[in-house]
Amino acid sequence: MARRAAYTELEPGGDNAIAVTLGALGDEWNLWILRYAIAGCRRYGDWMEHGSISNSVLSARLARLTELGLFDKVRYSDRPARYEYQLTGRGVSVWPILLSMWAWEARWAPMSDAPLPAMRHRECGSRFVPVLVCAACGEETVRHDVAARLGPSGDWSRSVPASIGRRRSANALKPSQLLPHTMELLGNRWSAAMLGAFMLGARRFGELSDRTGAPPAMVADRLRRFTELGVISTELAPNRPDWVTYHLTEKGEAFFPVVVLMIAWGQRWFRAPEGPAIEFTHRCGKRFDPLLVCSECRHRLRATEVLVEE
């Protein structure tokens, strides 16, 4: 596979790494294309064999992912001119995010129309789930073990992409619902922004609106949908029954690995000149860099060692 070592420097004052990442990975077709690319798809026909994607959608998504540096477009035939799309190092490094999404869906959306197959770790031979640990100390990590603060490019206005969450008709062609709940959280620009606000500690309606810049009607709509999905719960303040606070449920907290892996990936490959959008510190006192290990043998997971049992 072709590899690019260099990162992309973003425009000063423009979209930060979070916005770019959500724009790229908050799209159902992009995730679908990447999933099969990691499995070996390189040419148009390879993807066409796996689903009902149209030529125009596939062409547009491959062009965008190539522009973002996840693919290299390589000519393999001159007469006629034909091309294949080879994953770069940037594209290959998406796999931990896809793995964490896959595991979260398998655990929390078991009634999906497209049940996910099990995963087996080649090194130990066991079926497993990925476990998030701190790369510095090796400790298993949940959201409350990590302190987060906004960095120099972390303004909320720079973190919400304009390119996802546009309304589509009910008849619009979509990939099979492989990650339906994940797309509910990431496939709408306001959903993604509100999820980030929750992960950073927002609890009240006004906080969610102020931090994300979302219109009140949109905040109310997203809160309703998050509650239906079981991602958040509501609590009445004991001394102020008219005050409601919102809290991540166990299901919502369990999405933290997806969020932190996406942010880490984005800030590795897309860098704002002002500095990072978010800075993480683990309870061990070191900078938090996320890492996935096997739940059974606790060895680091690598893409070539994860087997999908179709």
Side-chain angles (χ1 to χ4, degrees):
M1 292 182 183
R3 296 183 180 275
R4 296 181 188 180
Y7 61 85
T8 297
E9 183 161 332
L10 303 174
E11 292 293 326
D15 283 356
N16 63 23
I18 296 173
V20 175
T21 301
L22 286 171
L25 304 184
D27 179 275
E28 294 163 285
W29 278 123
N30 283 354
L31 291 178
W32 185 88
I33 289 167
L34 288 165
R35 174 204 177 196
Y36 286 111
I38 290 172
C41 289
R42 290 189 176 188
R43 301 177 183 177
Y44 268 66
D46 296 337
W47 280 289
M48 291 292 188
E49 290 177 0
H50 288 286
S52 56
I53 189 169
S54 69
N55 274 305
S56 61
V57 170
L58 179 58
S59 177
R61 295 305 197 279
L62 285 172
R64 179 57 178 156
L65 291 170
T66 299
E67 180 185 356
L68 289 171
L70 281 75
F71 285 105
D72 277 331
K73 184 178 180 180
V74 179
R75 178 179 287 196
Y76 69 89
S77 172
D78 290 325
R79 296 184 179 179
R82 291 179 177 172
Y83 299 86
E84 65 181 20
Y85 293 83
Q86 300 178 5
L87 280 170
T88 63
R90 187 177 303 189
V92 171
S93 63
V94 168
W95 77 265
I97 301 170
L98 293 173
L99 185 63
S100 62
M101 290 176 175
W102 190 308
W104 185 80
E105 288 279 343
R107 169 68 177 84
W108 295 104
M111 302 307 292
S112 168
D113 291 339
L116 294 171
M119 294 174 287
R120 190 177 296 276
H121 188 203
R122 188 193 302 271
E123 182 175 335
C124 67
S126 301
R127 287 188 174 185
F128 75 98
V129 293
V131 175
L132 182 72
V133 302
C134 170
C137 69
E139 288 187 9
E140 186 171 341
T141 300
V142 296
R143 184 177 67 89
H144 295 291
D145 297 326
V146 179
R149 69 181 185 88
L150 295 180
S153 64
D155 291 346
W156 286 98
S157 61
R158 299 178 62 180
S159 303
V160 181
S163 58
I164 63 173
R166 293 176 179 154
R167 290 189 179 274
R168 294 175 297 185
S169 71
N171 296 323
L173 189 65
K174 295 193 298 182
S176 60
Q177 291 295 303
L178 184 69
L179 301 168
H181 288 203
T182 296
M183 285 299 98
E184 288 273 7
L185 299 181
L186 299 178
N188 174 286
R189 63 191 301 241
W190 298 121
S191 291
M194 284 179 56
L195 179 65
F198 274 118
M199 292 287 177
L200 288 173
R203 293 292 176 266
R204 302 205 55 231
F205 191 101
E207 288 179 313
L208 293 164
S209 182
D210 291 344
R211 291 192 185 187
T212 64
M218 182 57 68
V219 174
D221 178 75
R222 293 297 84 194
L223 287 172
R224 176 189 58 78
R225 187 61 184 134
F226 280 14
T227 301
E228 291 173 349
L229 290 171
V231 171
I232 63 169
S233 61
T234 60
E235 292 184 12
L236 297 177
N239 300 323
R240 289 288 303 271
D242 57 325
W243 282 23
V244 176
T245 57
Y246 302 91
H247 302 268
L248 291 169
T249 61
E250 184 181 2
K251 178 178 180 177
E253 294 281 2
F255 201 70
F256 177 68
V258 176
V259 172
V260 77
L261 284 164
M262 287 181 67
I263 293 172
W265 179 85
Q267 295 192 149
R268 174 185 177 187
W269 296 108
F270 302 96
R271 302 184 187 180
E274 302 90 346
I278 296 183
E279 297 172 329
F280 295 110
T281 303
H282 191 253
R283 65 180 181 179
C284 70
K286 301 289 183 63
R287 186 185 75 181
F288 177 67
D289 292 313
L291 191 68
L292 294 180
V293 301
C294 171
S295 59
E296 305 307 306
C297 68
R298 295 288 163 157
H299 287 185
R300 179 177 182 175
L301 292 171
R302 302 181 187 279
T304 56
E305 296 168 353
V306 175
L307 304 177
V308 176
E309 299 184 338
E310 299 285 358

